[in-house]
Amino acid sequence: MAPSKLEAEDHSRDAAFNKAMHGKSAQEKAGFLAMLAKDKEAQGAAVDEYFKFWDGKGAGQETDKDMKERVENYATLTRHYYNLATDLYENGWGQSFHFCRFYPSEPFYQAIARHEHYLAHMMGMKAGMKVLDVGCGVGGPAREIVRFTDANVTGLNNNDYQIDRATQYAAKAGLSHKLDFVKGDFMQMSFEPETFDAVYAIEATVHAPSLEGVYSQIFKVLKPGGVFGVYEWLMTDDYDASNPKHREICHGIEVGDGISQMVRISEALRAIKAAGFELEFHEDLAQRGDAIPWYYPIAGEMKYVRSLGDFFTILRMTRFGRGAVHKLIGGLETVGVAPYGTQKTADSLAVAADSLVAGAKLNLFTPMYLMVARKPMN
């Protein structure tokens, strides 16, 4: 299902809402402190705006109209999801909002960085290249890839708060001369055609209402001969939307991760070719047969933890840890310290985590379908 038309962009409206809700919280060092610094009325509006697409519309209850509404409002849905979830992500996971493979005894953040390095390696990124990061989050992967390749990276994002965080982190890292961040909708990019030597996306284009649509925009802004690399979130071709259990898992991923609609691997392969790319490599890295599953952190499997720092990171994602966070945030919300909807957002992330693990164990979902494709020279 593709949208009949794209959402109209309104950068002035978004900037005003960002100022109202987030204020100066982008300057907070810790995601948890930033989370408590929101304007309560504005956050309430974001909660209502996001959850109106989901409340009372669970798997088995949603109609075709409900699903179409999410697709048609993809940009609003995604923007408000990250207005609500960004600080929780940073507090629980870090500044690179993606999964990765793990080797035995490998620290969590080392594995995260290696996953980014592997994409850059597979794409052949080199020093001085002009590179676009589509859906850059708070810039964690962009900073790592700049350090690894010495490329010049532009991050594209439709969420003003994340751009503010990313800009601040780049300056703190001394990388402002190599990194910049641009507000925009990846379904209607404003860059001139044939601007970039390379484009990558790490678990971001899943938010697109049409993979062919976003891949076509990437194709447009790439120079002839330019390369596109992506880690895509996809349902596998074992996924059956008519199976109630399968749909429940997929719906949990969608609602807890701000996704208008998940699609299968076969659709992604069709879409990238339809956009005009020559597909050079594709593989589901989740099928490598690793001794440590990619989902172990969100499954809270403490047996794989190998460092004290990782212990506290993973502990927060166990059922015990999530339960403690639920009670803490609920208490803070009750006394007015945390803004309305913080607990509801955290609970939806917990639903997503359980659904991601269930999807992986049933071979219904992958967060790391790697595709590397090239724009023909003519």
Side-chain angles (χ1 to χ4, degrees), residues 257-298:
D257 290 296
I259 299 165
S260 60
Q261 63 173 353
M262 290 290 299
V263 300
R264 299 197 303 174
I265 290 172
S266 55
E267 168 57 16
L269 293 173
R270 184 207 66 79
I272 203 164
K273 294 173 183 175
F277 284 104
E278 295 175 347
L279 188 59
E280 296 185 341
F281 180 88
H282 64 101
E283 180 188 3
D284 183 359
L285 300 185
Q287 298 298 320
R288 286 282 183 95
D290 296 324
I292 301 174
W294 63 263
Y295 54 80
Y296 100 82
I298 55 171

Side-chain angles (χ1 to χ4, degrees), residues 113-126 129 145 148-149 200 227 229 231 280-281 288 370 372 374:
R114 178 178 50 74
H115 199 61
E116 296 158 1
H117 297 171
Y118 186 69
L119 179 61
H121 161 72
M122 292 296 289
M123 293 174 62
M125 279 193 218
K126 294 181 173 61
M129 275 187 169
I145 284 175
F148 182 65
T149 67
Y200 69 87
V227 64
Y231 288 130
E280 296 185 341
F281 180 88
R288 286 282 183 95
L370 172 61
V372 179
R374 193 167 301 275

Side-chain angles (χ1 to χ4, degrees), residues 353-370:
D354 290 340
S355 299
L356 291 166
V357 173
K361 289 183 175 180
L362 292 175
N363 192 39
L364 301 177
F365 168 79
T366 177
M368 53 186 71
Y369 197 88
L370 172 61

Side-chain angles (χ1 to χ4, degrees), residues 312-348:
F312 291 107
T313 297
I314 307 307
L315 181 63
R316 289 195 293 267
M317 299 182 223
T318 62
R319 289 190 179 276
F320 170 79
R322 281 189 258 153
V325 169
H326 172 88
K327 291 179 180 177
L328 172 63
I329 292 176
L332 292 174
E333 199 172 317
T334 298
V335 299
V337 175
Y340 160 75
T342 304
Q343 186 182 58
K344 185 173 185 177
T345 303
D347 289 349
S348 74

